Amino acid sequence: MNKPPGGGDRGAATTQLVILTPVLLLLLLLCVQFALAWHGQHIAQSAASRGLAAARARDGTQDTGAATARTTLRSTGGHVLRGPKVNVERTATAASVEVRATVLPVIPGLHLHVRGHAVGPVERFATPR
């Protein structure tokens, strides 16, 4: 059997393009999704650190720590993080802040979670011994 002039690969480029384009778009969206998760992790950690600074101050409370963390989340992660939850605990000697959230999904069905956590001693006056 003789091949037609020009070879028998007519239409191969179109077939390859149809197969590879969705794969390349998925890889691109995965890169964007994980970049958003990385950015969201930094936002959550920043909110936890700022909340800790407010909660561990000498006149700080759990409420001021939580309010500071929420304000930081609103100002820096309003569109990146979904449903953030702030948990602040303060005892006489230590304070801790935990921020949890879900990252904005770029790929439907892929829900990545981020967490920021900060712990430190409470500021207090101590008398010399």
Side-chain angles (χ1 to χ4, degrees):
M1 207 146 131
N2 293 336
K3 287 186 178 180
D9 291 335
R10 290 186 353 187
T14 303
T15 304
Q16 292 170 357
L17 186 65
V18 166
I19 292 171
L20 287 179
T21 299
V23 173
L24 290 175
L25 284 174
L26 180 63
L27 287 174
L28 178 67
L29 288 175
L30 279 172
C31 289
V32 170
Q33 182 69 71
F34 284 104
L36 275 176
W38 184 61
H39 180 57
Q41 175 65 38
H42 287 278
I43 292 170
Q45 187 60 47
S46 174
S49 296
R50 287 181 175 217
L52 177 66
R56 69 184 289 250
R58 185 173 161 270
D59 57 349
T61 64
Q62 288 180 340
D63 292 337
T64 58
T68 301
R70 285 188 189 97
T71 300
T72 302
L73 286 170
R74 269 193 308 275
S75 65
T76 58
H79 299 292
V80 176
L81 299 179
R82 301 287 185 206
K85 303 210 180 341
V86 177
N87 184 26
V88 180
E89 293 181 16
R90 179 186 157 112
T91 64
T93 58
S96 68
V97 178
E98 183 177 46
V99 176
R100 291 182 179 265
T102 303
V103 179
L104 171 74
V106 175
I107 299 174
L110 182 61
H111 301 287
L112 300 176
H113 301 279
V114 293
R115 175 181 174 260
H117 186 73
V119 178
V122 171
E123 294 177 359
R124 57 192 169 136
F125 286 116
T127 57
R129 295 180 187 202

